C-alpha cells in the first residue's frame, strides 16, 4: 500500500506541466539575468572621469598619500594589481564641471567592502566600520543628489573614495554614474532592485517555502524529498543572507563569516544531492556517504585553517560547492530527458536556469568575468517556483483522481445499496419463513406436550378399562381435551397481559391427577407461595407444558405407582419438581438419544431462562426446574 501511495505521489509531469515549467523558467531567467545585464548598457554616459588609485599606509589613516597614484579604470579590483594586499586603497575621480551647474545625480554601484566618500573635500558618506570587523557594504548601491554648492562650476571637481577591503574577497570600487538626477536615480532603482530587493524577497520566499515543505513532510513522513527540500531551503536561506548582511557579526572578522558561508554551501550541496535522489524515489548510499564525507572534510578544513590561509581554502571549497550544485542540476536534467516518466521533467527547466547562473557566478568568483553581481542566490528561488508548480500540478492531478474516485464511489455505493436492498428483502423473506417455521414448531411442541399428553392418557384409560368407561366419563375426557386446546389457542394469541399462574395451574392439576389416578398412579401435589404470582401467558404455557410433558413421560415410560409434584415459589425463584418411583433410566444414554419429550423439556427450560436438572436410578427419577422470576418478569 505504501508503494502504491509513493507511486501516486511521484506522478510524472504532464506535457502541459513541462511546457509551463519551461515558460516560467525562461521568464524568470529573463527577469533575473537578461534585464539586469542590460542595466549597465542603459546607464547615462558618464563624464570624462580621470580615475586614479593609491594604496594607503595603514587601516586608520584619514587622508590619502600625496604620491604613488596609478591610473585605473572602473570597475576595479586591486587583487591583480596588488596581490594579497589587505587594507585601505584611495580612489580619486576628477572631471571638469560645466559652468552651467544644476542638481546632479551621483551613483556608486558598489564598493568592497566598506568605505568613505568625499566630494571636493566635503564628506558625503561613511560606513559604520572601516576596520575589522568591516561593514559588509559590497552589495549596496549608493545614490546622492548633489546640490550646486557642492560642485565647482567651470572647474575641476574631485570625488575621493576611501575603500577598506580584503584582497581575497575582490576588494575594489565599482562603476560610478554621474549626470541628470532622473536618469541616474532610475539606474539606482534598478541596481537596488537587483542587489537588495530581489535578495530580500528571495529570502522571504525561501523562509515561507521551507516552512511549507517542512510541514508537508511532517504530515507525510514517507515523502522524504519534502523534508530534504525544506532543509535545503533553510540552508540556502542562511547562505543567501550573505547578499544583504551588513556586518560579519557574530564573528570578529570577515574570515570567520566567509568560513561559515562556505560551510553552508557545502552542506547545502549534500542536501541537494539527497533531495534530487529522493525526488526520483532513488537511493545511492555510496554517493550520499561520499558527498557527506567531502562536505565534512571541507567544513573541518575551513574552521581549522588559520586566517591568513583561509581565503585560499575558502576559494577551493567554494569551487567544490558550486560545482556540486552544477553537477546535480546537470544530472537531473539528463535524467529528465532520458526518462519520460521522471518527476524531474517538471523541475528540469528551473534547474537549467540554476545551472546557468551557478556557472556564471563561479566565473565571477574566479574573476574570469569582471563583475560584482551574483545571480545564483536570486535564480535559486526559481527552483522554489518549480517545486510550487510541481506541487500545483500534483494537486490538480490528485483532485482529478479524487473526482473520478468520487464518481466511481457513488456508482459503487448505488450498486451496493441495490444489492443490500435485495439482500434485506431475501433476509426478510427468510425471517418470515423462519418465524412461520418457529410458530409451527412451537405449535407442534404445544400439541405434543399438551393435547398429545391428554390423548395418550385417555387412550391408556380406554385400553385398561374400556368396559367401565361410561358416557359421562368419555364426555369429561373430551372436555379436558377441549380445555387443553383452548389453552394452546389463548397462548398463540400472544396476549401480553400477565395472568395468575395459580389459576392456570389448577385445571391442569385436576386433569392430570384424574388421568394418572385412572391409570393406577398415585399423584400427590405440593403447591406453595404462588397465590400472587403473575406471569405472561407464554411463560405460563411453557411451565404448564413442562409439567404436563413430565407427567406424560411418567405415565408412558416409568411404570411407577406414585408421582410427587412440587410447585414452590422461594424468594425470586420458582421451583418445579416431578419425582416418581418407576424403573428409571440411564441419564447419559438419554442425553445422547433423547426423544421428542426430553428435547421439548430442555427447549422450554432454555426459553424460560431456567436451570434443568435430571436425576434417575431404579426406583427414583426426579426432574427439577429452577427459574429466576426477575428474569421472567
Amino acid at each position: 500500500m505504501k508503494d502504491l501511495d509513493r507511486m501516486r505521489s511521484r506522478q510524472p509531469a504532464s506535457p502541459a506541466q513541462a511546457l509551463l515549467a519551461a515558460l516560467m523558467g525562461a521568464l524568470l531567467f529573463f527577469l533575473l539575468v537578461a534585464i539586469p545585464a542590460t542595466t549597465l548598457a542603459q546607464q547615462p554616459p558618464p563624464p570624462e572621469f580621470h580615475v586614479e588609485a593609491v594604496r594607503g599606509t595603514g587601516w586608520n589613516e584619514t587622508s590619502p598619500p600625496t604620491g604613488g597614484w596609478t591610473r585605473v579604470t572602473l570597475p576595479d579590483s586591486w587583487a591583480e594589481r596588488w596581490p594579497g594586499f589587505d587594507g585601505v586603497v584611495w580612489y580619486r575621480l576628477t572631471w571638469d564641471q560645466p559652468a552651467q551647474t544644476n542638481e546632479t545625480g551621483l551613483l556608486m554601484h558598489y564598493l568592497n567592502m566598506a568605505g568613505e566618500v568625499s566630494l571636493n573635500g566635503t564628506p558625503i558618506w561613511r560606513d559604520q566600520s572601516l576596520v575589522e570587523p568591516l561593514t559588509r557594504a559590497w552589495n549596496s548601491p549608493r545614490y546622492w543628489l548633489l546640490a550646486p554648492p557642492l560642485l565647482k562650476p567651470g572647474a575641476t571637481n574631485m570625488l575621493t573614495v576611501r575603500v577598506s577591503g580584503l584582497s581575497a574577497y575582490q576588494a575594489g570600487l565599482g562603476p560610478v554614474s554621474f549626470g541628470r538626477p532622473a536618469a541616474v536615480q532610475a539606474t539606482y532603482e534598478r541596481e537596488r532592485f537587483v542587489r537588495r530587493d530581489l535578495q530580500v524577497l528571495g529570502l522571504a520566499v525561501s523562509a515561507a517555502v521551507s516552512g511549507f515543505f517542512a510541514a508537508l513532510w511532517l504530515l507525510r513522513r514517507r515523502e522524504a524529498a519534502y523534508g530534504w527540500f525544506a532543509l535545503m531551503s533553510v540552508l540556502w536561506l542562511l547562505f543567501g543572507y550573505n547578499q544583504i548582511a551588513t556586518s560579519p557579526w557574530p564573528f570578529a572578522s570577515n574570515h570567520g563569516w566567509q568560513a561559515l558561508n562556505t560551510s553552508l554551501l557545502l552542506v547545502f550541496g549534500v542536501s541537494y544531492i539527497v533531495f534530487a535522489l529522493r525526488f526520483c524515489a532513488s537511493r545511492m548510499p555510496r554517493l550520499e556517504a561520499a558527498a557527506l564525507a567531502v562536505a565534512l572534510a571541507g567544513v573541518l578544513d575551513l574552521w581549522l585553517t588559520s586566517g591568513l590561509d583561509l581565503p585560499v581554502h575558502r576559494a577551493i571549497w567554494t569551487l567544490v560547492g558550486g560545482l556540486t550544485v552544477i553537477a546535480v542540476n546537470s544530472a537531473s536534467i539528463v535524467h529528465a530527458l532520458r526518462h519520460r516518466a521522471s518527476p524531474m521533467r517538471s523541475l528540469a527547466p528551473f534547474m537549467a536556469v540554476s545551472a546557468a547562473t551557478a556557472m556564471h557566478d563561479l566565473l565571477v568568483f574566479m574573476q574570469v568575468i569582471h563583475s560584482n553581481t551574483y545571480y545564483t542566490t536570486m535564480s535559486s528561488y526559481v527552483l522554489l517556483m518549480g517545486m510550487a508548480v510541481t506541487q500545483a500540478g500534483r494537486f490538480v492531478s490528485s483532485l482529478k483522481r479524487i473526482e473520478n474516485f468520487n464518481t466511481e464511489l457513488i456508482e459503487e455505493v448505488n450498486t451496493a445499496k441495490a444489492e443490500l436492498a435485495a439482500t434485506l428483502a431475501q433476509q426478510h423473506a427468510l425471517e418470515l419463513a423462519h418465524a412461520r417455521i418457529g410458530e409451527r414448531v412451537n405449535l407442534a411442541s404445544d400439541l405434543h406436550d399438551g393435547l398429545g399428553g391428554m390423548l395418550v392418557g385417555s387412550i391408556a384409560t380406554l385400553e385398561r378399562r374400556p368396559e367401565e368407561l361410561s358416557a359421562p366419563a368419555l364426555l369429561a375426557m373430551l372436555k379436558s381435551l377441549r380445555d387443553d386446546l383452548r389453552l394452546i389457542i389463548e397462548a398463540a394469541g400472544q396476549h401480553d397481559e400477565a395472568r395468575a399462574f395459580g389459576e392456570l395451574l389448577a385445571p391442569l392439576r385436576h386433569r392430570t391427577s384424574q388421568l394418572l389416578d385412572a391409570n393406577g398412579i398415585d399423584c400427590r401435589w405440593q403447591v406453595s407461595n404462588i397465590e400472587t404470582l403473575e406471569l405472561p401467558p407464554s411463560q405460563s404455557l411453557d411451565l404448564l407444558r413442562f409439567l404436563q410433558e413430565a407427567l406424560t413421560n411418567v405415565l408412558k415410560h416409568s411404570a411407577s405407582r406414585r408421582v410427587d409434584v412440587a410447585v414452590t415459589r422461594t424468594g425470586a425463584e420458582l421451583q418445579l419438581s416431578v419425582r416418581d418411583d418407576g424403573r428409571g433410566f440411564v441419564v447419559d444414554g438419554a442425553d445422547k438419544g433423547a426423544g421428542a419429550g426430553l428435547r421439548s423439556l430442555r427447549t422450554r427450560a432454555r426459553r424460560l431462562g431456567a436451570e434443568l436438572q435430571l436425576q434417575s436410578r431404579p426406583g427414583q427419577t426426579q426432574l427439577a426446574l429452577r427459574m429466576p422470576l426477575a428474569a421472567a418478569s
Side-chain angles (χ1 to χ4, degrees):
M1 190 68 180
K2 291 183 178 179
D3 293 338
L4 179 61
D5 291 340
R6 189 176 294 110
M7 290 175 62
R8 289 177 176 174
S9 65
R10 293 281 183 265
Q11 291 291 329
S14 64
Q17 292 177 359
L19 178 60
L20 177 61
L23 292 175
M24 291 189 66
L27 176 62
L28 290 171
F29 177 79
F30 177 75
L31 290 175
L32 297 180
V33 179
I35 290 181
T38 62
T39 300
L40 292 177
Q42 297 175 357
Q43 295 170 11
E48 292 294 332
F49 284 133
H50 181 77
V51 185
E52 297 174 298
V54 63
R55 285 190 295 182
T57 58
W59 282 96
N60 296 313
E61 65 181 358
T62 58
S63 58
T66 56
W69 292 90
T70 302
R71 180 70 182 268
V72 299
T73 57
L74 299 180
D76 176 67
S77 175
W78 72 60
E80 295 180 3
R81 186 181 313 108
W82 299 307
F85 176 72
D86 296 339
V88 176
V89 170
W90 294 87
Y91 289 89
R92 185 169 62 191
L93 288 74
T94 57
W95 72 96
D96 293 331
Q97 181 69 23
Q100 291 285 342
T101 300
N102 298 316
E103 288 185 334
T104 303
L106 175 64
L107 170 63
M108 186 176 299
H109 292 254
Y110 65 87
L111 59 82
N112 197 357
M113 276 200 191
E116 181 180 16
V117 182
S118 299
L119 177 61
N120 294 324
T122 301
I124 61 174
W125 179 272
R126 187 184 189 279
D127 283 314
Q128 184 175 1
S129 178
L130 301 180
V131 297
E132 283 282 31
L134 291 170
T135 298
R136 298 180 56 79
W138 65 277
N139 206 27
S140 300
R142 296 170 175 81
Y143 170 75
W144 298 275
L145 181 62
L146 304 179
L150 292 174
L151 299 172
K152 297 179 179 179
T156 299
N157 287 255
M158 181 172 64
L159 186 70
T160 305
V161 183
R162 178 189 189 275
V163 178
S164 299
L166 305 171
S167 176
Y169 308 132
Q170 301 181 20
L173 180 63
V176 175
S177 299
F178 188 86
R180 291 181 296 106
V184 175
Q185 185 171 6
T187 304
Y188 165 74
E189 296 293 342
R190 287 192 294 268
E191 281 286 302
R192 182 171 179 82
F193 176 74
V194 173
R195 292 179 177 274
R196 304 292 297 182
D197 296 345
L198 278 180
Q199 308 293 347
V200 173
L201 176 63
L203 294 176
V205 171
S206 182
V209 170
S210 61
F212 171 77
F213 280 99
L216 195 60
W217 173 72
L218 289 174
L219 294 174
R220 295 175 62 86
R221 291 294 184 89
R222 64 178 178 271
E223 298 288 352
Y226 296 149
W228 284 103
F229 192 81
L231 177 60
M232 275 174 49
S233 301
V234 173
L235 291 171
W236 195 257
L237 171 67
L238 299 175
F239 176 76
Y241 181 69
N242 180 63
Q243 302 290 320
I244 62 172
T246 57
S247 169
W249 183 89
F251 301 99
S253 70
N254 279 275
H255 291 315
W257 177 271
Q258 295 295 349
L260 172 64
N261 198 247
T262 307
S263 299
L264 291 171
L265 177 62
L266 291 173
V267 179
F268 168 81
V270 177
S271 303
Y272 199 15
I273 291 173
V274 179
F275 157 73
L277 292 173
R278 298 296 183 273
F279 193 71
C280 294
S282 178
R283 292 177 180 270
M284 298 180 68
R286 293 183 179 179
L287 175 62
E288 296 170 19
L292 180 60
V294 171
L296 290 177
V299 172
L300 291 174
D301 179 65
L302 288 167
W303 291 101
L304 295 177
T305 301
S306 63
L308 296 177
D309 297 328
L310 178 64
V312 177
H313 291 250
R314 173 246 183 186
I316 294 173
W317 290 113
T318 299
L319 187 62
V320 171
L323 291 176
T324 299
V325 174
I326 294 173
V328 173
N329 286 327
S330 302
S332 300
I333 294 171
V334 171
H335 185 275
L337 294 175
R338 293 180 61 183
H339 301 85
R340 295 182 60 84
S342 171
M344 279 294 180
R345 291 180 71 85
S346 58
L347 290 183
F350 301 97
M351 287 186 161
V353 175
S354 179
T357 54
M359 182 62 70
H360 168 271
D361 288 358
L362 278 182
L363 295 176
V364 172
F365 177 78
M366 295 184 294
Q367 299 187 13
V368 175
I369 297 177
H370 295 285
S371 174
N372 182 256
T373 304
Y374 292 88
Y375 298 113
T376 303
T377 306
M378 292 178 286
S379 66
S380 65
Y381 305 121
V382 174
L383 185 60
L384 302 181
M385 297 296 297
M387 282 295 292
V389 170
T390 301
Q391 286 303 112
R394 288 182 178 177
F395 176 77
V396 172
S397 178
S398 299
L399 190 60
K400 290 181 179 178
R401 289 200 302 271
I402 292 173
E403 292 174 349
N404 295 334
F405 174 76
N406 287 338
T407 302
E408 296 174 0
L409 183 61
I410 291 174
E411 294 177 355
E412 293 179 0
V413 168
N414 290 334
T415 303
K417 287 171 63 177
E419 294 176 353
L420 180 61
T423 302
L424 290 176
Q426 295 177 357
Q427 183 178 0
H428 181 64
L430 289 174
E431 290 176 352
L432 288 177
H434 290 164
R436 293 191 184 103
I437 293 173
E439 291 296 330
R440 291 174 183 174
V441 170
N442 292 336
L443 181 60
S445 178
D446 289 340
L447 290 173
H448 172 273
D449 297 345
L451 192 61
M454 296 299 296
L455 284 173
V456 168
S458 299
I459 292 171
T461 302
L462 288 172
E463 288 178 344
R464 291 186 59 177
R465 294 181 300 171
E467 68 284 353
E468 298 180 4
L469 204 62
S470 62
L474 288 174
L475 181 60
M477 287 183 183
L478 292 176
K479 287 182 177 180
S480 297
L481 293 175
R482 179 201 63 189
D483 293 340
D484 202 87
L485 181 61
R486 181 179 297 168
L487 185 62
I488 294 173
I489 294 172
E490 288 178 355
Q494 297 183 353
H495 298 295
D496 294 332
E497 295 83 0
R499 298 182 60 182
F501 181 64
E503 295 178 0
L504 298 174
L505 180 63
L508 176 67
R509 175 181 176 180
H510 176 71
R511 291 196 305 271
T512 55
S513 296
Q514 285 185 336
L515 186 61
L516 291 170
D517 288 340
N519 287 275
I521 300 175
D522 184 16
C523 182
R524 300 182 181 184
W525 288 76
Q526 180 184 354
V527 179
S528 62
N529 297 330
I530 65 169
E531 294 80 5
T532 59
L533 177 62
E534 294 184 353
L535 295 175
S538 59
Q539 292 185 354
S540 297
L541 180 62
D542 280 331
L543 290 170
L544 296 177
R545 291 299 181 232
F546 181 89
L547 287 172
Q548 195 170 9
E549 177 62 22
L551 294 173
T552 300
N553 288 337
V554 171
L555 177 64
K556 290 170 59 178
H557 306 296
S558 68
S560 62
R561 305 305 301 169
R562 175 177 171 173
V563 59
D564 294 303
V565 182
V567 179
T568 305
R569 178 182 182 181
T570 305
E573 186 176 74
L574 181 65
Q575 299 178 359
L576 277 68
S577 173
V578 178
R579 185 175 63 222
D580 66 78
D581 59 354
R583 65 171 67 97
F585 59 91
V586 179
V587 176
D588 293 338
D591 289 339
K592 294 180 181 179
L598 191 55
R599 286 198 302 271
S600 176
L601 292 174
R602 290 198 174 105
T603 299
R604 293 188 187 279
R606 285 195 300 270
R607 200 154 58 201
L608 291 167
E611 178 185 352
L612 177 64
Q613 294 180 349
L614 177 62
Q615 297 177 351
S616 181
R617 57 185 172 84
Q620 182 175 333
T621 298
Q622 182 173 2
L623 189 70
L625 182 76
R626 301 176 62 183
M627 184 185 78
L629 294 177
S633 59

